[in-house]
Amino acid sequence: MDAVEWIAVDWGTSHLRAWAMAGRAVLAEAGSAKGMGSLEPDGFEPALLELIGPWLETARVPVLACGMVGARQGWVEASYRAVPCAPVEAGQTCKVSARDQRVRVEIVPGLSQADPADVMRGEETQIAGFLAAEPAFEGAAILPGTHSKWVHLAGGQVQGFHTAMTGELFSLLATQSVLRHSVATDGFDAAAFDAGVQAGLAGAALAELFAIRASGLLAGTRPEASRARLSGLLIGAEIAAFGAGVSEAVVIGGAGLSAHYLRALAVAGCKARALDGADLVREGLWSLYEGATHD
Amino acid sequence: MDAVEWIAVDWGTSHLRAWAMAGRAVLAEAGSAKGMGSLEPDGFEPALLELIGPWLETARVPVLACGMVGARQGWVEASYRAVPCAPVEAGQTCKVSARDQRVRVEIVPGLSQADPADVMRGEETQIAGFLAAEPAFEGAAILPGTHSKWVHLAGGQVQGFHTAMTGELFSLLATQSVLRHSVATDGFDAAAFDAGVQAGLAGAALAELFAIRASGLLAGTRPEASRARLSGLLIGAEIAAFGAGVSEAVVIGGAGLSAHYLRALAVAGCKARALDGADLVREGLWSLYEGATHD
């Protein structure tokens, strides 16, 4: 393997991913389930070294990390930067005092918005990766997930953003509420999804939740259709809440979920395209690393 | 104790309550946590006898039970009666073959509605108790709880009804979602509740959920205020969904939750009064028992 120049790290609540980098090129990658949610403050450095140790020799290597690792319950709290601002900025990282002299760790701060109150950690780095490729983009970046983000971009900056708890609500309702008796653990039904999106767009998501259970009991609605309807209701509600005035949108995330969002956005009459989120984290960290080394 | 003429039973998912009755008079009462949710089919009769055994002598006593005991996962499935119809009707109960010859158990069926699909079990008996006292009532009976019911009454019949998953959603969000870090386990804040109700009425409940977490992080919003805001958002959304066109309403339930609903309904400009739910179950079972013995 070529000499490792720097290391990119995406450290969320439930995952840890790292890439050994030479400039913009990936030399190696590794991942573990040691997310921020499962670690005490003194567990972060060992979890990181366990993953990247094989890439380290004697020289000190810069490590750039983003995500929930910088939360109050994380390794070191990286204070939020207030929008409007560029998604990431060289010199605005939070330095970590690592015990191991082979690493120089810096954490990328998240973004905050005062009114309506909102925060993000990690998505700002994906946005930076996207803007590095398309600096003139104006419109909304949608990052679906446990907590979906709708990020308004213009002039190379994050102008404002909103969070929907869509993924977390879906998971709680599908697996822990009374709807679990009627909702399959996987499968999809396009017609049921589209009808759910329409109802969600019309503001009826909360009003129609229990009907998923009742139609399972009374009409024998298939569990896969019920799952798709629940998903459609919640994604439709998310688009109704945050999609007003969005003329151009990019959906940044994993392929499966992004496909559902593209479908729902089409039902809503909103033009959108999808980009892979994993690549963009690394691109965002690269833009930050490159900016810092050129200062 | 006077001779027990009949026994009234309210058997929900998480509770079992029984009253020893002489006509309309309560001779004794008892309760346990052996709700339908914790019992296998052959566990129902023992759970009942454990509670009412002390009231039984040699004569066979009629036992009238309502609630989830009649669900598919209950003791014996009591098929739903389709609305519009009277909330309960003599001769429409489901007979249970109990092994113990001292009881003759009948289960009150729940109600169903085809479109929009909806079901209830237990609330129909409270409604019957209410209509026994106010047979000419026209308007909405609101039964707040895990699954709140909005029941439209006219001509002594249930014309239609809707279920909101408000209580279950509140519990999941307050204790299992990311909001648990910002939401107190008890306490109330009237101003935060009212503001939440207003936002919920305006259709913004789902859009504003995550702001509860963010304002805890950024502005140090007190956990009691966050709890009240979450409650207000969801109750406001429920009223927005089902309160249109409601000119007169009664809220049937426990004192604490009913007070919150009355407050939220006042914010929405809807006149309402509260009635105690526990008494009404017994009154509803009495009206059914009385009707059957007079046939």
Side-chain angles (χ1 to χ4, degrees):
Chain A
M1 182 161 98
D2 288 352
V4 175
E5 184 188 336
W6 66 288
I7 293 171
V9 175
D10 177 14
W11 207 332
T13 302
S14 57
H15 70 269
L16 164 57
R17 270 190 292 267
W19 296 269
M21 307 290 294
R24 200 174 171 178
V26 176
L27 303 176
E29 68 178 281
S32 86
K34 293 194 174 166
M36 165 274 210
S38 63
L39 294 172
E40 296 297 316
D42 61 2
F44 283 86
E45 186 170 337
L48 179 66
L49 290 171
E50 185 183 317
L51 208 63
I52 69 170
W55 304 338
L56 301 175
E57 299 189 357
T58 50
R60 180 173 279 197
V61 174
V63 175
L64 261 179
C66 69
M68 291 300 283
V69 63
R72 198 167 298 171
Q73 296 84 13
W75 190 351
V76 170
E77 184 176 3
S79 300
Y80 296 108
R81 296 166 55 236
V83 296
C85 62
V88 302
E89 204 161 332
Q92 299 283 311
T93 55
C94 175
K95 278 77 180 167
V96 178
S97 299
R99 284 184 294 264
D100 193 304
Q101 294 302 307
R102 297 172 299 169
V103 291
R104 194 186 72 226
V105 179
E106 296 181 32
I107 297 178
V108 181
L111 302 183
S112 67
Q113 175 176 275
D115 188 22
D118 218 325
V119 293
M120 69 166 71
R121 282 195 189 277
E123 294 89 352
E124 75 293 328
T125 306
Q126 292 178 296
I127 303 283
F130 168 63
L131 286 180
E134 300 188 36
F137 178 85
E138 300 216 349
I142 304 165
L143 298 94
T146 305
H147 300 150
S148 296
K149 305 289 178 185
W150 287 65
V151 186
H152 294 275
L153 301 175
Q157 294 201 321
V158 173
Q159 301 296 332
F161 63 100
H162 297 282
T163 301
M165 292 178 59
T166 306
E168 186 162 28
L169 264 175
F170 179 82
S171 170
L172 288 171
L173 287 167
T175 66
Q176 302 205 45
S177 83
V178 70
L179 302 187
R180 72 185 184 279
H181 301 300
S182 299
V183 170
T185 53
D186 51 28
F188 188 69
D189 179 305
F193 179 80
D194 291 354
V197 171
Q198 292 283 14
L201 287 169
L206 288 175
E208 297 205 2
L209 286 180
F210 189 76
I212 292 172
R213 172 64 176 150
S215 75
L217 283 169
L218 299 177
T221 303
R222 289 185 313 108
E224 295 74 20
S226 293
R227 178 181 177 83
R229 181 170 181 86
L230 176 61
S231 172
L233 280 174
L234 296 177
I235 295 175
E238 179 182 329
I239 296 172
F242 302 133
V246 171
S247 55
E248 194 179 352
V250 290
V251 177
I252 298 174
L257 192 53
S258 288
H260 289 177
Y261 270 72
L262 288 184
R263 184 175 183 99
L265 287 162
V267 170
C270 178
K271 203 181 67 172
R273 59 198 159 97
L275 295 169
D276 184 70
D279 293 343
L280 292 183
V281 171
R282 210 175 52 241
E283 290 294 315
L285 291 169
W286 161 247
S287 74
L288 192 55
Y289 176 74
E290 183 189 39
T293 53
H294 289 180
D295 273 356
Chain B
M1 185 161 97
D2 287 352
V4 175
E5 184 188 338
W6 66 288
I7 292 171
V9 175
D10 177 14
W11 208 332
T13 303
S14 57
H15 69 269
L16 165 57
R17 269 191 294 268
W19 295 268
M21 307 290 293
R24 200 174 173 178
V26 176
L27 302 176
E29 66 178 283
S32 85
K34 293 194 173 165
M36 164 273 209
S38 64
L39 294 172
E40 296 299 314
D42 62 2
F44 283 86
E45 186 170 338
L48 178 66
L49 289 171
E50 185 183 318
L51 207 62
I52 69 169
W55 304 337
L56 302 175
E57 300 190 357
T58 50
R60 180 172 279 198
V61 173
V63 175
L64 262 178
C66 69
M68 292 300 284
V69 63
R72 199 167 298 171
Q73 296 84 15
W75 189 352
V76 171
E77 184 175 6
S79 300
Y80 296 108
R81 296 167 54 236
V83 296
C85 62
V88 301
E89 205 160 331
Q92 298 284 312
T93 54
C94 175
K95 279 77 180 168
V96 178
S97 301
R99 285 183 294 264
D100 193 305
Q101 294 302 305
R102 297 172 299 168
V103 292
R104 193 185 75 224
V105 179
E106 297 181 31
I107 297 177
V108 181
L111 303 182
S112 67
Q113 175 176 276
D115 188 23
D118 218 323
V119 293
M120 69 166 72
R121 279 196 191 277
E123 294 89 352
E124 75 294 327
T125 305
Q126 291 178 297
I127 302 283
F130 168 63
L131 286 179
E134 300 188 35
F137 178 85
E138 300 216 348
I142 305 166
L143 298 93
T146 304
H147 300 150
S148 295
K149 305 289 179 186
W150 287 64
V151 186
H152 293 275
L153 301 175
Q157 293 200 323
V158 174
Q159 302 296 333
F161 62 101
H162 298 282
T163 302
M165 292 178 60
T166 307
E168 186 162 27
L169 264 176
F170 179 82
S171 169
L172 288 171
L173 287 168
T175 66
Q176 302 205 46
S177 82
V178 70
L179 301 188
R180 71 186 185 279
H181 301 300
S182 299
V183 169
T185 53
D186 52 27
F188 188 69
D189 179 307
F193 179 80
D194 291 355
V197 171
Q198 292 283 14
L201 287 169
L206 288 174
E208 298 204 3
L209 287 179
F210 189 76
I212 292 172
R213 172 63 176 150
S215 75
L217 284 168
L218 299 178
T221 302
R222 288 184 313 110
E224 294 74 19
S226 293
R227 178 180 178 83
R229 183 171 180 85
L230 175 60
S231 173
L233 281 173
L234 296 176
I235 295 175
E238 180 183 328
I239 297 172
F242 302 133
V246 170
S247 55
E248 194 179 353
V250 290
V251 177
I252 298 173
L257 192 54
S258 288
H260 289 178
Y261 271 72
L262 288 184
R263 185 176 182 98
L265 287 162
V267 171
C270 178
K271 202 181 65 171
R273 60 197 159 98
L275 295 170
D276 183 68
D279 292 344
L280 292 183
V281 171
R282 210 176 51 241
E283 289 295 315
L285 290 169
W286 162 247
S287 73
L288 193 54
Y289 175 75
E290 182 189 38
T293 52
H294 289 181
D295 273 357

